[in-house]
Amino acid sequence: MPVLPKAELHVHIEGTLEPELAFTLAERNGITLPHPTIDDLRAAYSFTDLQSFLDLYYSLTDVLRTEQDFTDLAEAYLTRAAAQGVRHAEIFFDPQAHTTRGISLDTVLNGLGAALDTSEQHHGISTALILCFLRDRPATEALNTLRQARPHLDRITAVGLDSAEAGHPPEKFTHVFDAARDLGLRCVAHAGEEGPASYIWQALNLLKVDRIDHGIRCLEDPDLVAHLAATQTPLTVCPFSNVRLRAVQNLADHPLPALMDAGLLVTVNSDDPAYFGGYIHDNYQGLRQHLGLDETALRRLARNSFTASFLPTQRRDALIAELDTHPAH
Ligand code: ADE
Ligand code: ZN
């Protein structure tokens, strides 16, 4: 199966921290991890739901302390992404996971920026950054995070909303997203991963998002599916993630074909690839193996990824042309 050129629109940079790099950074920073060996750490990558994953995800961010750590993290992701056909990446980061530990936004953004600034030249990957607010923390803290980000807006394309979804509806962040839009930022939000279809409606109507991250539970509301199809609002679907976090039992049961058949603008992404058993091309391959998606369907997903991106028209069209002329084998 060819490694198709594609965009990645849903990847958390903190979720690309491979166990090997976690140990390297822990050693460099004089930190003792709760897991004595890499194999012990890998064995902990068995999750029962979103929260059980987030507990480990946030605890491992502790190894990220310096600008160099964030540069190394992003550089490792970009290297892997290039091998998986990624030509454009819109990358989430969670400032509050760092500022609440005393790591400044300057450190995070200077570190990530150093890798992103050379990404097109070194890896052929254009990039954008999406600043995510943690929905299980107060909206006042999100607003404060947005205020801290103001001097860095040249580095930030959009805001997003992530972390524990159940019990944390988008409506809580309406004024934060209004303020972000006033600053010229695009808006996305995780919705309908574990939370109900009503959270997707809220993300659309109150947060006025350009894309829905995950969104698979839209299928519980036919009016919502019709609306998403009519507006061609993109969904950034993450199949491996849904299986590992048990939103879906097996890849063979994944609703992605149903979403495509309903005429939605579906994209495929890796979410937290270090934790969920594969990067973006691995997800495409999984869909072929377990859901029988053929090359036409996979090419449609790759094309959708460029259509749904925040790329300027010229590069977007150039990448679509590259995909269309990419050989089948
Ligand atoms: N943060 C990192 N990965 C996430 C996911 N899949 N859902 C919500 N928050 C996240
Ligand atoms: Zn996510």
Side-chain angles (χ1 to χ4, degrees):
M1 171 182 163
V3 178
L4 296 172
K6 58 180 84 65
E8 171 126 85
L9 306 179
H10 184 157
V11 59
H12 302 260
I13 199 65
E14 296 88 349
T16 69
L17 179 63
E18 293 284 343
E20 290 77 9
L21 183 58
F23 270 87
T24 302
L25 298 183
E27 194 169 333
R28 187 154 94 190
N29 291 320
I31 299 162
T32 306
L33 287 173
H35 304 88
T37 68
I38 290 178
D39 286 342
D40 292 317
L41 179 54
R42 272 203 193 282
Y45 286 17
S46 162
F47 309 112
T48 51
D49 57 11
L50 176 56
Q51 188 62 57
S52 67
F53 154 69
L54 290 171
D55 291 344
L56 181 64
Y57 168 93
Y58 290 128
S59 96
L60 279 188
T61 58
D62 191 38
V63 303
L64 297 163
R65 298 274 174 100
T66 66
E67 287 185 14
Q68 189 64 52
D69 297 341
F70 286 95
T71 305
D72 291 353
L73 177 68
E75 195 56 43
Y77 164 68
L78 291 164
T79 302
R80 285 176 182 264
Q84 302 248 331
V86 174
R87 303 283 281 112
H88 175 68
E90 300 188 353
I91 300 172
F92 295 135
F93 71 111
D94 287 334
Q96 291 154 279
H98 312 299
T99 53
T100 53
R101 305 183 283 118
I103 309 297
S104 74
L105 196 55
D106 274 4
T107 300
V108 178
L109 281 169
N110 290 341
L112 295 177
L116 269 45
D117 285 348
T118 54
S119 170
E120 208 159 342
Q121 195 187 342
H122 290 171
H123 303 287
I125 302 177
S126 49
T127 61
L129 272 178
I130 303 178
L131 180 158
C132 284
F133 304 114
L134 301 187
R135 70 199 308 155
D136 49 355
R137 299 186 67 92
T140 47
E141 194 178 294
L143 208 51
N144 195 33
T145 302
L146 184 63
R147 194 179 49 73
Q148 288 172 45
R150 284 187 72 143
H152 304 282
L153 288 185
D154 55 330
R155 286 208 176 275
I156 299 169
T157 299
V159 294
L161 187 65
D162 66 0
S163 202
E165 186 181 9
H168 300 286
E171 63 183 344
K172 182 172 143 188
F173 295 92
T174 303
H175 60 293
V176 182
F177 275 63
D178 282 344
R181 219 173 307 103
D182 285 347
L183 292 172
L185 295 166
R186 311 293 294 263
C187 297
V188 300
H190 284 53
E193 177 186 19
E194 280 191 350
S198 63
Y199 284 18
I200 302 176
W201 278 120
Q202 285 186 19
L204 295 169
N205 293 333
L206 302 178
L207 306 189
K208 302 183 171 60
V209 296
D210 300 293
R211 299 195 295 247
I212 295 286
D213 296 315
H214 292 294
I216 56 174
R217 287 189 60 187
C218 70
L219 288 167
E220 294 167 18
D221 180 342
D223 290 343
L224 177 56
V225 173
H227 176 81
L228 291 168
T231 54
Q232 287 293 284
T233 304
L235 301 188
T236 63
V237 177
C238 307
F240 279 19
S241 165
N242 296 148
V243 174
R244 289 296 183 102
L245 301 186
R246 307 204 189 171
V248 171
Q249 236 182 354
N250 299 295
L251 208 47
D253 307 318
H254 198 281
L256 184 132
L259 296 168
M260 290 181 83
D261 289 348
L264 305 192
L265 190 72
V266 178
T267 67
V268 167
N269 307 272
S270 69
D271 204 4
D272 300 284
Y275 293 87
F276 299 151
Y279 284 73
I280 189 167
H281 174 72
D282 306 320
N283 273 264
Y284 275 62
Q285 270 193 314
L287 296 174
R288 195 167 96 141
Q289 267 171 24
H290 296 274
L291 283 164
L293 264 67
D294 62 13
E295 191 167 324
T296 306
L298 297 173
R299 281 183 181 271
R300 166 134 45 108
L301 291 166
R303 177 181 260 268
N304 286 350
S305 73
F306 295 127
T307 307
S309 74
F310 296 137
L311 272 171
T313 317
Q314 199 181 353
R315 178 154 170 87
R316 190 190 62 202
D317 291 350
L319 289 173
I320 290 175
E322 182 181 322
L323 170 66
D324 288 346
T325 55
H326 193 82
H329 296 290

